[in-house]
Amino acid sequence: NAGVTQTPKFRVLKTGQSMTLLCAQDMNHEYMYWYRQDPGMGLRLIHYSVGEGTTAKGEVPDGYNVSRLKKQNFLLGLESAAPSQTSVYFCAAGRPSVITGELFFGEGSRLTVL
Amino acid sequence: SQKIEQNSEALNIQEGKTATLTCNYTNYSPAYLQWYRQDPGRGPVFLLLIRENEKEKRKERLKVTFDTTLKQSLFHITASQPADSATYLCALTGGFKTIFGAGTRLFVKA
C-alpha cells in the first residue's frame, strides 16, 4: 500500500521552462491538495480538489495550474518556471471530517529553478 | 487574513521532561485542529485531531488542548525521548481547506 506517491522527487529547471508534478493516491480519497513548503513559512496551500474533475485555488495559486482528470491523480503544472517557485512541493490526500480528518502526505518533490 | 503562529525558535529539552508547544491563530473559526510531525526530508505525518467542542485529547504520551476563546492549542509530549526530535506542525481545518503553521523544531537531548 503506497499511500501518496509523488514524482519526480527532484528536478532542476531553468527560468521559463515548464514541468508537471504528478501525485497519485491509492486510498480512494475524494480530496487532494498541493502545498509548497519554504523555510520559515510552513506549508502554503496552492490548489486543491474536492473530487474528480474539480479544482479550486488555495492561498498561493499564481503561476500554477492543476488538473484532476482521474480520482487517484492530481497534477500540478508550472507553465513558465520562475526562481520564486524554488521550493519543496507536497501533495496530500484526505477527507475533511471532524471524525477522521487527517491528511496523508507524499514524501515531497524538491524543485530548483535557476 | 487567516494566520497561524507557532514558536519559530527551536525548543530544546532534556530527555524525560515534558515538551510543550504552542499554536495560536487569528481570523479563523476552524471545525477542528490537528498536529503533525515532520522529520527532515519527509512529508508531515498525522498525530492527533481535536474538534472545536473538545477541550483536551490524549494519545499515549501526547496531549492536546484546544481553547477556541483564546484561539490557542497546546501540544504536550510527556516523558520525551530523543526519538521525539522533529518539527511539529499545527493545522486548522474549516470547510474544504486545511492551513498549516510554520512549525516548531523540537530537540530532545539524552
Side-chain angles (χ1 to χ4, degrees):
Chain A
N1 190 346
V4 177
T5 304
Q6 295 181 226
T7 53
K9 290 184 171 47
F10 301 93
R11 184 75 188 269
V12 178
L13 288 178
K14 293 182 179 179
T15 298
Q17 287 184 318
S18 64
M19 76 158 296
T20 300
L21 297 177
L22 171 63
C23 177
Q25 57 125 342
D26 62 3
M27 298 174 291
N28 203 35
H29 284 308
E30 290 293 333
Y31 295 75
M32 295 186 75
Y33 306 82
W34 276 107
Y35 291 88
R36 60 178 287 175
Q37 187 172 39
D38 303 291
M41 301 192 73
L43 289 160
R44 290 183 292 167
L45 182 62
I46 305 171
H47 285 282
Y48 63 100
S49 168
V50 302
E52 182 178 317
T54 72
T55 62
K57 294 180 180 180
E59 303 169 88
V60 288
D62 294 342
Y64 304 95
N65 57 76
V66 289
S67 64
R68 183 99 181 269
L69 298 179
K70 293 183 179 180
K71 184 177 182 179
Q72 64 268 35
N73 294 336
F74 195 28
L75 278 64
L76 178 70
L78 286 72
E79 289 186 350
S80 180
S84 61
Q85 294 178 304
T86 293
S87 187
V88 181
Y89 292 86
F90 286 99
C91 175
R95 185 177 296 116
S97 161
V98 296
I99 305 299
T100 56
E102 67 177 285
L103 295 182
F104 298 88
F105 283 84
E107 290 301 313
S109 297
R110 183 176 294 275
L111 175 65
T112 301
V113 182
L114 303 175
Chain B
S1 62
Q2 301 162 348
K3 192 173 182 181
I4 302 176
E5 290 185 347
Q6 296 185 251
N7 286 349
S8 57
E9 292 184 11
L11 179 62
N12 291 281
I13 64 168
Q14 200 67 36
E15 182 177 11
K17 301 293 186 183
T18 296
T20 299
L21 285 67
T22 304
C23 173
N24 295 294
Y25 62 94
T26 56
N27 298 325
Y28 206 60
S29 296
Y32 54 89
L33 182 146
Q34 303 172 65
W35 284 89
Y36 287 77
R37 169 183 172 141
Q38 187 174 25
D39 293 290
R42 309 295 299 272
V45 175
F46 171 80
L47 295 174
L48 278 170
L49 179 153
I50 185 167
R51 297 189 289 268
E52 60 174 340
N53 60 349
E54 296 178 310
K55 297 295 184 186
E56 179 179 302
K57 182 165 279 189
R58 294 173 185 260
K59 179 182 176 182
E60 297 173 352
R61 294 186 295 111
L62 308 180
K63 185 179 85 171
V64 174
T65 63
F66 193 13
D67 188 327
T68 55
T69 300
L70 291 179
K71 295 188 182 298
Q72 181 181 79
S73 173
L74 299 178
F75 177 75
H76 307 272
I77 305 175
T78 58
S80 59
Q81 305 165 359
D84 294 326
S85 298
T87 296
Y88 291 86
L89 307 173
C90 170
L92 300 175
T93 300
F96 302 128
K97 296 188 290 185
T98 295
I99 61 173
F100 286 79
T104 297
R105 195 96 185 264
L106 172 67
F107 293 98
V108 181
K109 293 187 289 186

